[in-house]
Amino acid sequence: MNAPDGPGAELADTLSRLRRILRGLQSAGLAALPRGTRTEQAAAQAEPVPGSSVEKAEDALRLTRLQMGDCRRCRLHGQRSHIVFGEGSPAARLVFVGEGPGFEEDRTGRPFVGKAGRLLDRMIRALGMRREDVYICNAVKCRPPGNRVPDSHEIQACSPYLFMQIEAIRPAVICALGACAAQTLLGTGSAVSRLRDSVRFWRGIPLVCTFHPAYLLRNPAQKSAAWQDLVRIHRILNEADEVF
Ligand code: URA
């Protein structure tokens, strides 16, 4: 029998390409496809379309911030200047999660605006994106004194808000920056060096763990490893693009 041509052949070809992509994602461990189809167009709109997934994400983020209020659920509230909730696009396909605000972030109320933030900006640009295309937040929203690592009580008190933020956005991929973010999302005590060996998942969303930018500033030899993690993120974003 002759192979079909015309529109039939085109459809068969598209279906076989789609099958190949899905098989590839499945063998990479993807259990479920990310929910929602946010087009580049919708993402680029300053005003979200009423009733769209972007508007719902924006509302959910606003509600999460309202629920936090003037949070005093842990002792970190005592010395903070600002709650650093997070910022970026509610339509983000990539969410970065850091540890907690530092001095500059506490002063300004914005995440990753200090030295480590400047390196994160370069990482975002390496992915062909702008800071306003992604969403950036932290495991804890108030600065731990002296930039110490947040303790388990502080993380437990704050992580529900982090989870609500990510659920609101449901990005195509999450990037955990450093051990605190990775361990909070994955509920594990494993080291980043081990967690970055494969794509993990948070509630069905691919999660790539990499080194914290502040760690990379202290250990520049690890930048090539972080680069590999960015390549992995880029690939996941491209694969999600091909599916939708
Ligand atoms: N380090 C973090 O983990 N988060 C910030 O917002 C800034 C520095």
Side-chain angles (χ1 to χ4, degrees):
M1 206 170 78
N2 287 342
D5 53 12
E10 218 172 283
L11 181 62
D13 183 52
T14 305
L15 285 174
S16 112
R17 258 165 53 78
L18 185 59
R19 234 175 263 125
R20 270 203 311 277
I21 292 164
L22 289 171
R23 257 188 237 119
L25 288 172
Q26 205 173 29
S27 63
L30 187 71
L33 290 173
R35 191 179 48 124
T37 59
R38 289 178 212 119
T39 62
E40 297 279 337
Q41 252 176 346
Q45 279 169 350
E47 288 296 317
V49 178
S52 68
S53 59
V54 179
E55 193 185 56
K56 284 185 190 139
E58 206 168 58
D59 287 347
L61 287 170
R62 214 176 287 128
L63 189 63
T64 304
R65 181 64 192 87
L66 278 174
Q67 283 181 328
M68 273 198 90
D70 183 34
C71 185
R72 283 150 197 261
R73 291 168 182 84
C74 82
R75 62 183 171 157
L76 291 182
H77 78 271
Q79 294 180 52
R80 74 172 176 229
S81 304
H82 288 100
I83 291 178
V84 182
F85 180 67
E87 66 179 25
S89 169
R93 302 176 63 246
L94 170 59
V95 169
F96 286 98
V97 181
E99 179 175 298
F103 177 82
E104 274 305 309
E105 291 77 20
D106 178 62
R107 191 180 68 78
T108 58
R110 298 182 56 211
F112 280 98
V113 288
K115 249 192 190 165
R118 284 192 284 284
L119 178 53
L120 178 61
D121 287 345
R122 294 215 299 275
M123 291 161 77
I124 294 169
R125 279 202 298 276
L127 286 164
M129 298 171 123
R130 300 163 308 166
R131 195 175 157 107
E132 55 268 37
D133 297 326
V134 304
Y135 192 85
I136 306 172
C137 55
N138 283 301
V140 297
K141 315 296 191 214
C142 297
R143 184 189 182 208
N147 294 348
R148 65 165 168 76
V149 177
D151 69 26
S152 60
H153 170 70
E154 293 154 359
I155 289 171
Q156 215 177 10
C158 214
S159 57
Y161 301 110
L162 168 66
F163 300 161
M164 283 190 251
Q165 287 172 298
I166 306 176
E167 278 289 5
I169 298 169
R170 294 287 309 179
V173 58
I174 304 164
C175 177
L177 299 165
C180 177
Q183 293 171 355
T184 300
L185 290 168
L186 293 169
T188 172
S190 301
V192 173
S193 49
R194 180 164 137 46
L195 294 173
R196 51 178 296 281
D197 65 6
S198 64
V199 178
R200 313 275 163 171
F201 290 88
W202 182 85
R203 299 187 187 173
I205 303 173
L207 165 64
V208 173
C209 301
T210 191
F211 298 112
H212 192 286
Y215 173 85
L216 292 174
L217 288 171
R218 293 192 305 271
N219 300 276
Q222 295 287 9
K223 281 188 184 172
S224 59
W227 177 257
Q228 287 165 20
D229 302 331
L230 293 182
V231 170
R232 178 173 265 167
I233 290 170
H234 197 255
R235 214 180 45 231
I236 295 171
L237 288 170
N238 280 345
E239 281 167 359
D241 265 351
E242 283 195 62
V243 170
F244 295 117

